[in-house]
Amino acid sequence: QWTLGRQPAGSIALGVNELTLAVKQTRSYLSSLLQGPTLSDFYLEITASPSLCREADEYGLLLRVSPALDFLRFGLLCNGQARLDRYTSGQATSPIPPTVSGVVPPGAPSTSRLGVWAVGKELRFYANSQFLFSVRESVLLSGGLGVFARSVSSDALTVNFSNLSVYSASP
């Protein structure tokens, strides 16, 4: 139930138990949204496995996606950093700018298990079972879920997403 297809920037395809985002253009962005319920209080995990990934290329989760396409973007960078962006009303801000993390493997091929605990205004972010950071979000309190890949290098970027688990959470 993910959005799939070919776009000028690349392609989004469903394989055997995995979703693949393949970005073929420099400075391009692909995303796929899960057609499903609106999430508010949850804990989720997903495995992200970049097979082609360089420098500050980025991949990760879109959280609390609204019908107007406002969302939070939890990203891992191919240089070993993690970040959180908020996208509202066509403007992006970075509550957590790119931060070096010893738990995010640089380059590719690699595999990371992303985790997010979101209850009310509080969100906690994890990579490979290690806490990265937390934020308080007062605008985007519920919404849909998606994945993304963003290329900033001159090479292709390919990321496979698999093993999505979503649970109800409470304070």
Side-chain angles (χ1 to χ4, degrees), residues 6-25:
R6 292 193 181 278
Q7 302 172 11
S11 63
I12 304 165
L14 193 59
V16 178
N17 298 320
E18 65 185 10
L19 179 68
T20 300
L21 278 66
V23 182
K24 64 180 182 181
Q25 291 182 346

Side-chain angles (χ1 to χ4, degrees), residues 18-23 46-61 75-81 103-114 127-128 147-151 153 155-162:
E18 65 185 10
L19 179 68
T20 300
L21 278 66
V23 182
I46 192 167
T47 300
S49 303
S51 56
L52 295 172
C53 186
R54 302 227 190 301
E55 303 165 12
D57 289 347
E58 185 178 1
Y59 57 93
L61 286 166
L76 300 184
L77 284 74
C78 298
N79 60 12
Q81 297 180 322
V103 300
V104 177
S110 65
T111 298
S112 290
R113 188 85 172 141
L114 287 74
N128 298 315
V147 294
F148 78 95
R150 180 169 63 173
S151 170
S153 72
D155 297 314
L157 167 62
T158 302
V159 183
N160 298 320
F161 293 93
S162 61

Side-chain angles (χ1 to χ4, degrees), residues 129-148:
S129 302
Q130 300 295 311
F131 175 78
L132 296 173
F133 46 78
S134 65
V135 296
R136 293 193 60 76
E137 170 60 44
S138 59
V139 176
L140 300 170
L141 299 176
S142 66
L145 176 66
V147 294
F148 78 95

